[in-house]
Amino acid sequence: TQFLPAANANVQRLTQLFQTQQLSQDEMVTLSGAHTIGVSHCSAFTNRLYNFSSTSQLDSTLNPSFAQRLQQLCPQGNPNPNTVVPMDTVSS
């Protein structure tokens, strides 16, 4: 799993990982788009749902409907750090 990116990997890190497999950035985008996003632990993104910044509770780059659904699935202060939710709302 040394070739799997971390959940919070940025574009630079993703590009590096794909380059180690002799894949271009275009191929990275194509492969990424061809796969469903899957699932994620609430702890990986709740910072974007609650207390995001000093001026906004919610990350404004999130789709409002999707953010609301995530807030329902991952309530603020959720005591279970292992809660996993689907990220693909269309096929899940």
Side-chain angles (χ1 to χ4, degrees), residues 2-72:
Q2 65 183 352
F3 301 114
L4 294 177
N8 61 349
N10 62 22
V11 172
Q12 181 180 1
R13 180 67 182 137
L14 292 170
T15 300
Q16 290 170 343
L17 286 170
F18 275 77
Q19 285 175 341
T20 65
Q21 298 301 307
Q22 310 300 312
L23 295 168
S24 70
Q25 197 171 44
D26 285 344
E27 291 166 318
M28 174 184 75
V29 170
T30 301
L31 287 168
S32 297
H35 293 84
T36 186
I37 297 171
V39 297
S40 180
H41 286 90
C42 291
S43 59
F45 58 83
T46 52
N47 63 314
R48 297 180 66 193
L49 300 175
Y50 307 105
N51 303 315
F52 181 67
S53 70
S54 61
T55 59
S56 176
Q57 284 275 11
L58 182 64
D59 181 346
S60 64
T61 65
L62 289 173
N63 174 287
S65 297
F66 184 56
Q68 184 178 26
R69 177 74 175 134
L70 292 177
Q71 287 174 326
Q72 291 170 348

